[in-house]
Amino acid sequence: MSTPLYAKAHRTITEIKGPLVFLQNVSDVRYGERVTLVDSAGHRKSGQVLEVGEDLVVVQVFEGSDGLDKKGTAVFFSGDVVKLGLSEDMLGRVFDGSGNPRDGLGDVLPETERPITGSPLNPVCRQQPFEFIETGISAIDLMNTLVKGQKLPIFTGAGLPANRVAVQIARQVIRQSKEELIVVFAGMGITSREYSYFYKEFQDSGALANSVLFLNLADDPTIERILTPRLALTTAEYFAFDKGRDVLVILTDMLNYANALREISSAREEIPGRRGYPGYLYTDLATNYERAGIIKGQKGSVTQLPIVTMPNDDITHPVIDLTGYITEGQIILSRDLDRRGIYPPINPLPSLSRLMNLGIGKGKTREDHRQLQDQLYALYAQGKEIEKLTAIIGSAGLGTTERQILRFTERFEREFINQGEQPRTIQESLNLGWELLSEVSRSELRRVEDKYIDQYLPKKAAAAPS
Amino acid sequence: MIIGKISRISGPVVNARGMEGIKIRDLVRVGELGLVGEVIEVKGDQISIQVYEETDGLRVGEPVKSDGKPFLAELGPGLLGMIYDGIQRPLEVIRDQTGAFIARGASGDPLHRGKRWHFVPTVKVGEPVAHGDVIGWVQETPAIRHKILVPEGVAGKIVKIKEGDYTVEEPVAELDTGQKIFMKQLWPIRRPRPIAQKITAGVPLITGQRIFDVFFPVTKGGSAIVPGPFGSGKTVTQQALAKWSDADIVVYIGCGERGNEMTEVLTEFPHLEDPRTGQPLMNRTVLIANTSNMPVAARETSIYTGITIAEYYRDMGYDVALMADSTSRWAEALREISGRLEEMPGEEGYPPYLASRIAEFYERAGRVICLGSDKRQGSVTVIGAVSPPGGDFSEPVTQNSLRIAGAFWGLDARLAYSRHFPAINWLTSYSLYLDALQDWYKREIGPDFIQMRQELLEILQKEDELKKIVQLVGRESLSEPDKLLLDIARTVRDDFLRQNAFHEVDAYCPLKKQYYMMQAILAFYKTCQGLLGKIPYEEILKLPGWEQLSKMRYVPNDQTESYFPGFIRELSAASMTKEVVA
Ligand SMILES: Nc1ncnc2c1ncn2[C@@H]1O[C@H](COP(=O)(O)OP(=O)(O)O)[C@@H](O)[C@H]1O
Ligand SMILES: [Mg+2]
């Protein structure tokens, strides 16, 4: 994303405040225009025009304004909005949060260029998602199915293994697709430990060759994080809709992205909304998350798996809340499961895949999938209720049915959810689900039709008197 | 033509100067690309414009033009089955111009210019007509006759009118005043369309959803809000209403929500049947799609575009239902634009006029006597989804909507988590229309309809109290009548209130079936009460009635009359007791 310095240098900075630079006496500036700033020591930074008036231009500096001085800094306006050069050679490459190579392998020769803000996909051109993606994780595949073209975030808490889950999914779907699918990974504000982990995992599993990584580390400029997901999504759209590839985009951590947005907003002294986030946070997040989907009559798809940390495990935190309002469901990691050593610690109860129905059933996964999911969900929910109740009034008063459900619940967590890194096929997940159902008497299986019980419930249990 | 220059650009808000004579709400074309915008503030020489397209790349000094007219919706035959963005650009035409991704500067006529409609006059030469009179119709879809109305400011004697095929821009009638009447008419969307009189409505909008039709009905011409946290079922509810309610016309506004949800409507509606006419649902539907990633200023406008179209069909004498998903996104668009104007913020950053804007919008609902000599009646029912941050109903949009709307359908995250759908909280929701509708239900469905509704509600209220006791001391310490009440309450919840929007039978429940289902539950309750003390409670729980009740919602709707009377007899005391005692 380097800009040729053909333009005139402006040295009319009046104020520098946080990530913002204010200039005077500049004409012909475009809203959203890409800007290069060179300080007196010759260091270059990039920025973007946030506001233009007749005698005022506000520029946000992606690399932060540290080191810039009013007098010595020259500002160059590129005449164009922020764009990203794109090419198939980006596969296997690692870029920083502004789109510059960070793997030392030199620049990529772009085949085309696109504004990184993207354009809204016309609703009449969208294809409703319909294709099941096998992540190999039962708690997702069976309970909250991911569908090609969906945006399904993982809500996690500090210290919970969301990144490990994400890497596991990335590895699995690439393998599953016989390397047809590619992963575009955007890391915003990730630690260098996380960075090494991602890089190593991608490299060791061979996934790197089918991936493009954009990484903004924790000690990289925070404002750059505004760019990073947009770069990733622009790249994903290029591979999906120019090249017909299925693309999985992992964005981690969107909380850091939102915090960068908040920083700019407060530097601009905008009226803060909830917890200091700007009032346009919803719209801003939506312009990123909505860049997922399938185009009717075209090959290729963009599936998004954003990871968002819930500060204090608070699901009503604005960034989480608004993400949930925009995305097509959510996978929620549970501290309780994690503490008990269950991995992946996915809590199926508050998790939801809104597009699940479109991707499952006969010819896609299996005919009994919907009802089996319903039944497992209902029993597990019931089991958790009974656990709560026994915590108050003790287990002495429990009936047989309740004891059976408790046993089911225990196994559901220990065996079904707690599968570790070993992938399961959807058939294996479904069969395991039925196996667990044999813990309860047949008359409790009210959400599955008799014909499925007859066909799928393991026989020894089915024969037992109910 | 008024021409000025851009003086400042800040996101969706652009300032311009040098536009003498421009008025607030005038439509403008901004910059070299001619982006569409609307004047929202005039301050001396400076005006503020909300721009309906992305402003990236605009420069200070680029031209701004206006012909001094407000944004006008185009009304006429051909609206049905269309999908528009917030400023009534037909999205299919936009696709043909710019491809799968919406590019800026695209434009398209809302009504097809070339299409000819067969116009049939209903007035003759010599007859005097005035604003609101029907002068003829065209068959817009097999089920809908599109009435051609005399527009505002037009009155006189007909001197020319003739049956024939016309485009929307050809005059279908001429008056002695020299005025011509066209099928295409224009209306400024922010101004409610005039009516003769609002009247109180005594007819429910039948939705086929048990929780609404029985517990919390809305009248034709009423308004309801559906607030709820994400994932609680706002959109599924709105879509169910759009599919199944007995309105003549449905206007569905996807306001700042997901693109895939609009695609879902577009994919499903052409293949679903309108339960009353047998026509494809799409034939009675107008879609407005301004999804969350489309420009925020056009999102603000989408609500007005939608309700203007709804009023237009109301004025023909139709019952129109309008769904807005979600009004919160509209309010947020207001807030965003207000912020860019640097207005003094009110509660939670919303502009101080939020309450009045919400009230003005819901006030456009109503059952009315239309303008025109035939005194026909029409209605607009408004159902607004509300998306409160964190699911907290104390926030301004919910609270301000609550004050105006006549029905409150509160979605509950806990119910949604337990997969009880629709997740409407039956204890906190309400309808203020019940009194007005009592007579209708008694007359049209059954004299005991309201009585039974009351009994079911009381069972659920009692259950709520008992559950608190159970949490303290456990179920075993309850008396048998109380245990029975809990079990019957569960049946009311699971087998009556729960309704699966995705089940081919259960998705729509005819009112008569709802009535029978209530009867069945109450009959069985009475039977069980009669058995208390005669047989052990465990035995009562083994009665086949429980399971039968849990399946009754799947009884095919066209077998309602053949199945239920016998079923209810079976559940009633005599036969059930005999079986058990035997
Ligand atoms: N009436 C219903 N029947 C069955 N499932 C429902 C119903 N209402 C909601 N759901 C489930 O809840 C999910 C979320 O509903 P949705 O209407 O999209 O929520 P919201 O608009 O409030 O975010 C749906 O994807 C569906 O799985
Ligand atoms: Mg919704």
Side-chain angles (χ1 to χ4, degrees):
Chain A
M1 285 211 335
S2 51
T3 314
L5 296 185
Y6 58 81
K8 173 170 171 267
H10 293 272
R11 297 177 192 275
T12 51
I13 296 180
T14 57
E15 195 187 344
I16 297 174
K17 194 167 107 196
L20 302 182
V21 167
F22 298 75
L23 289 99
Q24 253 179 354
N25 297 329
V26 196
S27 58
D28 249 15
V29 172
R30 290 181 188 274
Y31 180 73
E33 181 167 348
R34 176 164 181 74
V35 175
T36 305
L37 304 97
V38 181
D39 68 15
S40 31
H43 298 301
R44 289 172 56 162
K45 296 187 182 227
S46 58
Q48 184 180 15
V49 174
L50 266 194
E51 184 176 331
V52 212
E54 281 169 331
D55 47 20
L56 170 83
V57 172
V58 183
V59 173
Q60 70 182 5
V61 185
F62 295 126
E63 289 92 341
S65 59
D66 295 355
L68 296 182
D69 55 331
K70 280 200 240 177
K71 286 226 180 66
T73 303
V75 184
F76 300 87
F77 292 89
S78 68
D80 205 351
V81 296
V82 181
K83 288 184 174 166
L84 176 67
L86 296 157
S87 146
E88 284 183 289
D89 297 339
M90 293 168 87
L91 280 179
R93 298 293 308 271
V94 185
F95 302 91
D96 69 12
S98 303
N100 302 309
R102 102 175 282 152
D103 52 10
L105 297 177
D107 282 341
V108 171
L109 197 64
E111 172 201 322
T112 177
E113 255 192 356
R114 296 277 157 79
I116 65 165
T117 44
S119 296
L121 187 51
N122 190 329
V124 304
C125 300
R126 277 184 185 271
Q127 160 72 52
Q128 258 192 308
F130 61 95
E131 237 178 294
F132 167 63
I133 299 182
E134 190 171 283
T135 66
I137 297 175
S138 300
I140 296 177
D141 291 349
L142 200 166
M143 301 301 290
N144 296 285
T145 316
L146 177 66
V147 185
K148 213 176 260 181
Q150 183 174 18
K151 39 193 181 289
L152 186 65
I154 300 177
F155 292 165
T156 180
L160 297 182
N163 291 333
R164 189 173 152 204
V165 175
V167 168
Q168 189 177 336
I169 292 173
R171 224 190 296 129
Q172 170 68 11
V173 296
I174 289 179
R175 190 182 311 145
Q176 255 291 310
S177 74
K178 308 212 167 49
E179 316 218 328
E180 273 304 300
L181 181 142
I182 63 171
V183 170
V184 176
F185 184 96
M188 283 80 68
I190 58 175
T191 61
S192 49
R193 185 174 39 77
E194 287 169 316
Y195 168 60
S196 325
Y197 171 73
F198 283 127
Y199 192 78
K200 190 170 171 312
E201 284 293 324
F202 271 81
Q203 201 166 37
D204 290 357
S205 65
L208 189 60
N210 284 298
S211 306
V212 185
L213 277 62
F214 292 92
L215 297 171
N216 162 288
L217 299 195
D219 55 359
D220 283 341
T222 49
I223 302 308
E224 194 175 83
R225 287 164 207 167
I226 307 269
L227 293 180
T228 316
R230 293 188 166 84
L231 299 172
L233 290 164
T234 305
T235 307
E237 284 172 351
Y238 163 78
F239 278 103
F241 304 129
D242 287 31
K243 303 293 168 192
R245 305 290 296 265
D246 289 321
V247 186
L248 177 72
V249 183
I250 297 174
L251 307 167
T252 179
D253 179 331
M254 287 302 279
L255 180 69
N256 294 337
Y257 167 83
N259 289 345
L261 210 61
R262 175 168 67 180
E263 195 175 322
I264 290 172
S265 174
S266 88
R268 294 185 74 185
E269 296 175 4
E270 289 171 339
I271 303 149
R274 294 173 69 221
R275 307 222 193 157
Y277 291 98
Y280 47 81
L281 179 62
Y282 175 82
T283 303
D284 188 281
L285 286 174
T287 53
N288 288 304
Y289 293 142
E290 275 288 319
R291 294 174 80 175
I294 311 177
I295 297 176
K296 225 184 257 171
Q298 247 179 269
K299 277 184 71 183
S301 62
V302 176
T303 307
Q304 275 192 39
L305 208 64
I307 294 170
V308 201
T309 295
M310 302 182 277
N312 291 318
D313 295 352
D314 176 10
I315 195 165
T316 67
H317 184 277
V319 178
I320 299 293
D321 189 48
L322 294 180
T323 298
Y325 269 120
I326 301 161
T327 52
E328 287 148 346
Q330 65 278 336
I331 301 291
I332 298 189
L333 301 192
S334 146
R335 194 166 298 282
D336 174 56
L337 292 176
D338 183 61
R339 266 197 206 117
R340 288 159 46 211
I342 290 170
Y343 177 86
I346 295 171
N347 182 355
L349 295 181
S351 298
L352 169 73
S353 164
R354 292 168 189 253
L355 303 186
M356 172 162 178
N357 284 337
L358 299 171
I360 66 171
K362 205 170 171 177
K364 292 174 172 171
T365 52
R366 212 168 72 184
E367 50 183 359
D368 56 317
H369 189 158
R370 175 79 261 173
Q371 293 185 14
L372 175 61
Q373 191 270 357
D374 231 26
Q375 185 64 70
L376 291 170
Y377 187 99
L379 283 176
Y380 183 58
Q382 233 179 317
K384 295 311 271 184
E385 279 303 312
I386 299 172
E387 276 182 5
K388 241 187 271 166
L389 218 62
T390 44
I392 305 169
I393 56 175
S395 60
L398 291 183
T400 335
T401 310
E402 281 149 335
R403 284 178 201 280
Q404 288 174 346
I405 295 175
L406 279 183
R407 206 157 44 236
F408 162 85
T409 303
E410 171 72 17
R411 285 190 66 194
F412 185 76
E413 289 178 347
R414 285 283 155 216
E415 295 172 38
F416 186 87
I417 302 180
N418 187 28
Q419 72 178 87
E421 300 254 357
Q422 192 57 40
R424 287 192 195 126
T425 67
I426 181 66
Q427 302 298 326
E428 287 169 342
S429 295
L430 290 163
N431 293 343
L432 178 58
W434 280 106
E435 148 83 27
L436 297 184
L437 287 188
S438 59
E439 287 292 347
V440 301
S441 59
R442 190 174 164 144
S443 61
E444 283 305 303
L445 306 182
R446 292 199 206 105
R447 309 237 171 175
V448 275
E449 283 175 60
D450 289 340
K451 59 174 183 189
Y452 295 140
I453 301 184
D454 293 341
Q455 188 175 349
Y456 294 110
L457 193 69
K459 285 293 178 272
K460 65 173 169 38
S466 62
Chain B
M1 179 71 74
I2 306 167
I3 302 179
K5 279 194 163 98
I6 295 180
S7 57
R8 174 174 167 264
I9 307 144
S10 171
V13 172
V14 164
N15 296 106
R17 63 167 84 244
M19 305 216 43
E20 216 155 289
I22 195 107
K23 303 175 300 297
I24 210 146
R25 296 298 170 203
D26 279 352
L27 191 76
V28 293
R29 292 279 179 174
V30 178
E32 274 142 24
L33 280 170
L35 308 181
V36 185
E38 182 178 340
V39 178
I40 48 173
E41 191 178 68
V42 180
K43 256 192 199 159
D45 185 33
Q46 281 268 6
I47 64 165
S48 302
I49 301 160
Q50 67 178 38
V51 183
Y52 296 136
E53 297 177 80
E54 295 303 333
T55 54
D56 279 5
L58 282 183
R59 278 172 311 182
V60 166
E62 285 191 44
V64 178
K65 298 177 189 167
S66 173
D67 52 11
K69 289 207 187 107
F71 178 70
L72 301 167
E74 240 181 66
L75 305 169
L79 290 166
L80 295 177
M82 289 294 284
I83 175 165
Y84 296 110
D85 74 357
I87 52 172
Q88 216 197 355
R89 294 186 303 185
L91 286 172
E92 278 163 349
V93 176
I94 304 275
R95 169 198 58 203
D96 296 341
Q97 284 180 11
T98 74
F101 291 92
I102 302 175
R104 291 181 300 172
S107 66
D109 296 318
L111 296 178
H112 198 291
R113 290 293 187 264
K115 184 172 165 90
R116 292 190 172 270
W117 297 92
H118 189 74
F119 172 74
V120 180
T122 51
V123 294
K124 296 195 189 69
V125 169
E127 276 187 53
V129 295
H131 183 196
D133 284 339
V134 177
I135 60 160
W137 49 265
V138 302
Q139 197 73 43
E140 184 172 4
T141 68
I144 294 292
R145 274 191 180 174
H146 190 112
K147 317 252 172 75
I148 307 301
L149 309 174
V150 177
E152 193 175 50
V154 175
K157 277 207 178 80
I158 302 268
V159 295
K160 198 172 152 194
I161 189 162
K162 200 167 147 259
E163 179 165 350
D165 295 339
Y166 300 88
T167 70
V168 294
E169 289 190 310
E170 288 165 350
V172 292
E174 277 180 49
L175 305 187
D176 59 354
T177 54
Q179 289 168 309
K180 291 176 179 160
I181 298 174
F182 303 87
M183 289 196 282
K184 182 190 97 184
Q185 307 190 355
L186 302 172
W187 191 263
I189 55 168
R190 292 177 198 272
R191 200 180 129 212
R193 285 175 59 86
I195 53 168
Q197 194 191 327
K198 263 202 183 184
I199 51 181
T200 43
V203 181
L205 180 79
I206 301 302
T207 64
Q209 313 298 307
R210 294 183 287 271
I211 183 114
F212 301 136
D213 292 347
V214 170
F215 276 12
F216 311 113
V218 62
T219 50
K220 289 204 171 93
S223 53
I225 62 168
V226 197
F230 65 80
S232 59
K234 296 179 294 298
T235 302
V236 173
T237 300
Q238 295 267 46
Q239 290 191 0
L241 295 181
K243 284 176 193 167
W244 307 119
S245 63
D246 67 341
D248 298 308
I249 305 288
V250 167
V251 178
Y252 193 97
I253 312 172
C255 176
E257 295 277 315
R258 303 180 183 89
N260 274 334
E261 289 174 349
M262 295 317 290
T263 309
E264 187 180 344
V265 175
L266 277 173
T267 315
E268 282 187 357
F269 276 34
H271 307 291
L272 288 172
E273 261 183 24
D274 180 341
R276 291 168 326 130
T277 63
Q279 287 290 312
L281 265 185
M282 203 60 205
N283 277 2
R284 68 164 194 185
T285 310
V286 183
L287 294 176
I288 313 282
N290 214 98
T291 54
S292 57
N293 55 338
M294 286 160 77
V296 72
R299 188 202 298 170
E300 192 268 335
T301 310
S302 63
I303 292 282
Y304 298 103
T305 302
I307 197 140
T308 302
I309 293 172
E311 287 175 339
Y312 175 64
Y313 280 97
R314 170 204 67 192
D315 290 346
M316 296 176 210
Y318 288 118
D319 290 318
V320 185
L322 176 141
M323 288 92 202
D325 185 11
S326 159
T327 61
S328 294
R329 306 302 168 219
W330 164 60
E332 284 162 12
L334 269 183
R335 175 170 68 186
E336 186 168 338
I337 292 155
S338 162
R340 304 277 185 174
L341 289 176
E342 291 167 8
E343 289 177 336
M344 187 65 104
E347 216 182 332
E348 296 204 9
Y350 286 105
Y353 45 80
L354 175 72
S356 62
R357 291 281 166 88
I358 289 178
E360 282 161 22
F361 170 66
Y362 281 101
E363 278 303 313
R364 289 175 78 167
R367 184 162 191 85
V368 308
I369 298 176
C370 308
L371 287 181
S373 51
D374 63 354
K375 304 245 181 323
R376 63 194 177 275
Q377 292 188 11
S379 67
V380 173
T381 311
V382 171
I383 295 150
V386 184
S387 317
D392 173 6
F393 289 177
S394 68
E395 59 91 38
V397 182
T398 314
Q399 285 303 313
N400 285 309
S401 308
L402 193 60
R403 256 169 240 145
I404 315 287
F408 173 81
W409 299 336
L411 290 168
D412 190 317
R414 268 178 327 170
L415 288 174
Y417 277 3
S418 63
R419 296 297 193 263
H420 173 106
F421 289 119
I424 311 275
N425 185 319
W426 50 87
L427 295 173
T428 56
S429 299
Y430 60 78
S431 163
L432 302 177
Y433 299 115
L434 206 76
D435 283 346
L437 291 173
Q438 287 210 12
D439 288 344
W440 189 93
Y441 278 109
K442 287 180 186 161
R443 194 177 61 237
E444 302 287 330
I445 308 301
D448 49 350
F449 190 99
I450 298 294
Q451 173 62 28
M452 289 197 295
R453 167 192 184 271
Q454 198 53 35
E455 283 176 39
L456 292 190
L457 264 180
E458 275 163 19
I459 289 171
L460 293 172
Q461 269 151 9
K462 191 80 199 295
E463 178 198 33
D464 190 51
E465 290 158 25
L466 287 178
K467 272 193 160 164
K468 285 176 196 142
I469 299 175
V470 170
Q471 296 222 308
L472 292 174
V473 296
R475 183 185 154 102
E476 285 315 305
S477 52
L478 293 183
S479 70
E480 286 197 347
D482 283 349
K483 279 187 194 160
L484 176 60
L485 186 126
L486 283 184
D487 288 318
I488 277 293
R490 182 169 130 170
T491 296
V492 175
R493 284 188 283 110
D494 284 359
D495 306 330
F496 185 76
L497 291 185
R498 248 181 40 188
Q499 192 167 353
N500 184 349
F502 306 109
H503 189 279
E504 54 168 340
V505 174
D506 200 29
Y508 173 76
C509 187
L511 201 50
K512 198 60 195 279
K513 183 171 161 189
Q514 303 185 23
Y515 173 76
Y516 283 138
M517 288 173 73
M518 286 200 281
Q519 269 192 342
I521 294 173
L522 290 171
F524 184 64
Y525 186 28
K526 219 166 144 204
T527 303
C528 295
Q529 281 175 318
L531 291 171
L532 285 178
K534 295 189 185 130
I535 55 173
Y537 192 69
E538 290 298 311
E539 293 301 315
I540 291 182
L541 281 183
K542 287 185 188 147
L543 291 178
W546 299 103
E547 202 193 327
Q548 289 167 334
L549 285 174
S550 76
K551 303 230 159 105
M552 66 179 166
R553 55 196 180 124
Y554 304 120
V555 173
N557 293 336
D558 56 7
Q559 289 169 25
T560 301
E561 290 299 342
S562 59
Y563 178 81
F564 276 95
F567 175 52
I568 291 163
R569 258 194 317 276
E570 212 180 291
L571 292 171
S572 68
S575 53
M576 195 54 78
T577 324
K578 220 188 301 160
E579 227 173 85
V580 172
V581 174

